[in-house]
Amino acid sequence: MTGPGFIDIHEALAPDRLALAIRETARRSPQEPAVVAAAGSSDRRSIDYAALAALVDRFEAAVLAAAPVGVVARARNVEALVAIAAACGSAGVPVALLADDARDLAGELREWAVVDDSLVLTASSLPHRRQDDGPPHVVVATSGTSGPPKFVQRTWDTVLAAARLADQWHGLGWLLVYDVTRWAGIQVWAQSLLTGGRLVVPASRDPDTVSRAIVEEQVAILPATPTLLRRLLTSGDARLLAQSKLARITLGGEAADGPLLDRAKAVFPGARISHVYATTELGEVFRVTDGRAGFPASWLGREMPGGIRLSTRRDGELLVQLSRDSADVATGDVVELRADRYEFTGRRSDVIVVGGAKVLPRRVEDLLRGVPGIAEARVYGQPSAITGELVAAEIVLVEPLPTNATPESIRAAALTTCRESLESHGVPRILDIVSRIKTTAAGKVSRRPVTVAP
Amino acid sequence: MTATVSEAIATAIRTVLHDTGRSTSGVEPSMLLSSDLGLDSLDLAQTIVLLERSLGVDPFRAASGSRPSIRSVADLIMIYESAVNPT
């Protein structure tokens, strides 16, 4: 896509880039699908680059005419949302990507114009944007593994910073399993649209729907959290998945464990699996591509590409120094040395305190997932008046169950395994078999207790 | 109601003992939680969560200030009965 006559989007200012890339692809390959929405279902619809560019043009004209201080995108359709984002960047107007939820608009957003799937900007008495208002930014809601989401401001530079624009990344099929308005999701659609790719949005996160979307739409790249990948591998249609053309799986948002990586390699032998370590504050810190859990122990204490240095606090929390003269940044992630690797054992904030003793839920989850017959596990703190908290867990069993196993025998084996490997306060006291574990909007394991049901 | 509460308590204690790999014998009201049944504070905490599920109440969460002493199974029965049937 960098042939003669192609505009080099590197040269454009960041806010313009998305619209520029969409228009350029529309000019060269107008019928190329830009977005395949509701993929894997009978409601599937495909929007080509010409149609998407037309949406961008139309909305940019509307924004330029109305000149709002900012635009709040409350679109439900993916193509509408990305068109709004691209048009706002191009028009130099800030945009908040909030999708269709009932969240109240706080602070500056109250003065912004709101737009939905219709892409109609209603004329309003809201204040107008001034020439000297500065470069347009993007407002996104943070995922928040716990607590309510917060709004954060990002520059277009940071939105597009992680996008890979080299030729090898052009024209690929990207699966969007993340929420389209969350940071991880924005990265995926921005990457796809900047490189003339096909953004495939499954109709739901149901594993069979995702499997169909991957195969039917010939998805090449699957960015996902380990939790979402685990669900796909456990419950997705195995025969269908065997036909997939996946070339890459990019994991992020949570730590990936060894068994999951091995399983993914077995189901998708043709896919390269990488694991991105990033934090909200630092962005992408490093990427592990050797298909093993954690990262090489040798990375600690020496300068890595990009000038980054990793170290650990005494309690195992991973510290990142971005450059020689910057301070260490605490990541909140706890690592543990296992043979030649540092493996992630959990988030500091996820720690469950049982009678004063600390338990990292991830460690327990990893143990549970290693028990034959257990597909998924979630560990959380159950409030207790006696001990503060108790370790509680939910497990999802494999289907079909292993020969001679019963749900009760698997549950007993899980408790035995935990008793043999953990101190008594770390052994789950509540262990429920469920059909599906709770995940956050960002596709990560939820750490919240279940509401007690009789 | 008495039968239900004491049955629920006996069931919860048996589950705790079973889950932690201990032998389960009969649970009688006269038994002391610690010396007769070998329950520690984690076991008691688990019992209370299980009882919240079966009886729908957690009298210890609501209790502010002094916590009633719980030494025997009978103490538990009394506390849960007054929580299930407040008068």
Side-chain angles (χ1 to χ4, degrees):
Chain A
M1 293 266 300
T2 46
F6 188 75
I7 297 171
D8 184 358
I9 62 170
H10 290 91
E11 287 172 10
L13 290 174
D16 301 332
R17 262 182 227 167
L18 202 52
L20 202 62
I22 291 169
R23 287 171 179 142
E24 187 61 19
T25 308
R27 192 176 64 78
R28 296 165 67 97
S29 354
Q31 256 106 66
E32 198 63 32
V35 177
V36 179
S41 79
S42 53
D43 297 329
R44 173 196 189 274
R45 56 178 207 283
S46 174
I47 298 95
D48 62 27
Y49 270 93
L52 184 63
L55 289 180
V56 175
D57 291 346
R58 196 177 100 204
F59 192 64
E60 184 173 356
V63 169
L64 288 172
V69 178
V71 171
V72 177
R74 282 218 188 266
R76 191 182 302 203
N77 291 337
V78 179
E79 68 272 23
L81 191 96
V82 301
I84 293 166
C88 286
S90 185
V93 172
V95 63
L97 303 172
L98 303 186
D100 181 48
D101 58 23
R103 215 172 287 141
D104 287 333
L105 297 183
E108 61 168 3
L109 300 189
R110 275 192 231 115
E111 299 200 327
W112 293 17
V114 177
V115 65
D116 62 15
D117 285 333
S118 67
L119 297 192
V120 174
L121 257 190
T122 40
S124 69
S125 52
L126 294 172
H128 292 293
R129 186 165 170 80
R130 292 187 311 269
Q131 284 295 328
D132 55 355
D133 274 355
H137 55 268
V138 182
V139 174
V140 293
T142 59
S143 64
T145 310
S146 53
K150 288 177 297 201
F151 298 127
V152 288
Q153 268 197 27
R154 305 281 188 176
T155 65
W156 274 100
D157 276 317
T158 59
V159 171
L160 306 181
R164 280 157 294 179
L165 304 175
D167 282 1
Q168 63 175 114
W169 296 99
H170 281 251
L172 302 173
W174 296 78
L175 194 76
L176 179 67
V177 288
Y178 294 128
D179 193 324
V180 65
T181 58
R182 300 299 174 108
W183 187 243
I186 293 169
Q187 306 281 301
V188 177
W189 57 252
Q191 166 74 50
S192 179
L193 296 171
L194 284 172
T195 49
R198 196 164 12 93
L199 182 73
V200 177
V201 190
S204 75
R205 278 183 183 172
D206 162 67
D208 284 333
T209 307
V210 174
S211 308
R212 276 196 300 276
I214 289 175
V215 174
E216 289 168 5
E217 309 298 341
Q218 307 206 358
V219 167
I221 307 197
L222 168 62
T225 60
T227 296
L228 294 174
L229 179 64
R230 193 176 294 115
R231 182 173 293 171
L232 179 67
L233 294 177
T234 306
S235 318
D237 186 333
R239 246 179 309 169
L240 197 58
L241 287 177
Q243 306 164 28
S244 90
K245 303 256 189 323
L246 275 187
R248 266 174 203 273
I249 299 173
T250 314
L251 296 171
E254 290 173 312
D257 53 284
L260 174 69
L261 294 168
D262 292 343
R263 191 102 191 273
K265 277 184 274 189
V267 175
F268 304 112
R272 283 189 58 179
I273 303 172
S274 61
H275 185 198
V276 178
Y277 178 72
T279 75
T280 317
E281 295 76 24
L282 302 168
E284 181 174 329
V285 179
F286 60 78
R287 197 172 270 263
V288 183
T289 54
D290 60 10
R292 295 177 58 200
F295 58 89
S298 60
W299 287 9
L300 222 72
R302 73 175 164 85
E303 194 163 310
M304 310 233 305
I308 287 172
R309 268 173 192 276
L310 305 176
S311 59
T312 54
R313 223 201 275 277
R314 192 175 298 170
D315 64 359
E317 181 174 2
L318 184 67
L319 305 174
V320 176
Q321 190 185 17
L322 283 180
S323 63
R324 196 172 285 273
D325 33 81
S326 66
D328 281 336
V329 178
T331 59
D333 290 304
V334 180
V335 294
E336 191 180 279
L337 187 61
R338 292 178 193 160
D340 59 338
R341 308 285 283 190
Y342 274 100
E343 293 189 21
F344 291 90
T345 50
R347 306 250 333 132
R348 266 167 76 102
S349 55
D350 288 343
V351 164
I352 301 170
V353 182
V354 182
K358 290 177 180 168
V359 179
L360 287 163
R362 236 203 98 84
R363 225 191 124 93
V364 186
E365 279 169 8
D366 285 348
L367 262 178
L368 290 172
R369 286 190 202 110
V371 174
I374 296 182
E376 299 181 54
R378 171 175 103 87
V379 170
Y380 61 93
Q382 169 76 43
S384 161
I386 309 291
T387 56
E389 282 181 296
L390 272 187
V391 177
E394 291 177 338
I395 50 175
V396 177
L397 303 183
V398 296
E399 277 178 58
L401 294 180
T403 322
N404 294 332
T406 62
E408 194 41 51
S409 74
I410 294 169
R411 187 177 177 280
L415 289 171
T416 306
T417 301
C418 289
R419 269 202 305 276
E420 284 167 355
S421 322
L422 300 167
E423 291 185 70
S424 67
H425 58 264
V427 178
R429 285 306 185 123
I430 303 296
L431 182 58
D432 295 319
I433 297 172
V434 297
S435 56
R436 151 172 292 208
I437 60 163
K438 216 164 91 172
T439 52
T440 65
K444 305 181 194 184
V445 173
S446 163
R447 299 286 175 208
R448 295 193 193 176
V450 278
T451 42
V452 175
Chain B
M1 282 308 283
T2 306
T4 316
V5 168
S6 56
E7 269 167 29
I9 288 172
T11 304
I13 291 174
R14 276 198 299 270
T15 304
V16 170
L17 293 171
H18 177 260
D19 275 3
T20 49
R22 286 173 279 182
S23 62
T24 54
S25 44
V27 177
E28 300 297 331
S30 61
M31 286 179 157
L32 296 177
L33 298 175
S34 153
S35 50
D36 292 337
L37 291 164
L39 300 186
D40 61 15
S41 61
L42 273 173
D43 298 326
L44 185 59
Q46 181 184 355
T47 307
I48 290 165
V49 174
L50 294 175
L51 286 172
E52 181 172 12
R53 290 178 170 196
S54 59
L55 297 175
V57 290
D58 179 355
F60 300 93
R61 185 176 303 164
S64 53
S66 65
R67 184 185 294 160
S69 85
I70 1 167
R71 299 189 61 242
S72 65
V73 176
D75 290 342
L76 271 184
I77 294 174
M78 203 181 66
I79 290 166
Y80 275 93
E81 270 184 352
S82 57
V84 171
N85 302 307
T87 42

